[in-house]
Amino acid sequence: LSTIKAFEELIVWQESRKFVNNIYKLTKNFPREELYGLTSQVRRAAVSIMSNIAEGFDRRTTKEFISFLIIARASVSEVQNDLYISLDLNYINKEKFQVNYDFAQKIAKLINGLITYLKSQTEIYTKTAKINEQTQQYF
């Protein structure tokens, strides 16, 4: 991750961007009365995924980045929930539901992988710092 200089380089952000575009296209044909309801809700949740990844990337600490990734992952679940509502109301068919649900799952797995990686790097740094502190007494 140290070689990545901008959030746009993160695969999880790139995939989230594609997902947002899919959700906007999917909801374009929702009933007009849903414009300020479900349409707005699912769109905002999808946007929240990529926004939280971007904002978290530019935070000062790994701990803060992880917190924003956790929020992004929760937004993935919100979109999946909204996809069920859309299916139940017959706004989308089973195929569109499944394609978008699976895409959301893919993003959730990418987020989880990044969180795991960041936590492992924090643990390595913490252990190294403790070892350095302990060995300083011998020099």
Side-chain angles (χ1 to χ4, degrees), residues 52-90:
N52 277 291
I53 293 166
E55 187 174 349
F57 181 84
D58 280 329
R59 288 297 173 143
R60 296 178 88 47
T61 67
T62 302
K63 185 177 179 181
E64 284 182 292
F65 190 15
I66 291 170
S67 293
F68 277 83
L69 290 171
I70 290 168
I71 294 166
R73 187 176 58 201
S75 292
V76 171
S77 295
E78 184 177 351
V79 171
Q80 289 174 310
N81 176 74
D82 294 344
L83 288 170
Y84 275 108
I85 295 168
S86 302
L87 177 66
D88 292 347
L89 295 173
N90 295 313

Side-chain angles (χ1 to χ4, degrees), residues 15-39:
E15 290 299 307
S16 296
R17 182 179 177 195
K18 293 175 193 172
F19 185 63
V20 167
N21 284 296
N22 282 5
I23 292 298
Y24 267 75
K25 288 174 188 169
L26 180 73
T27 58
K28 190 175 185 175
N29 295 319
F30 278 19
R32 187 131 180 89
E33 67 265 15
E34 288 292 354
L35 186 60
Y36 300 105
L38 185 60
T39 302

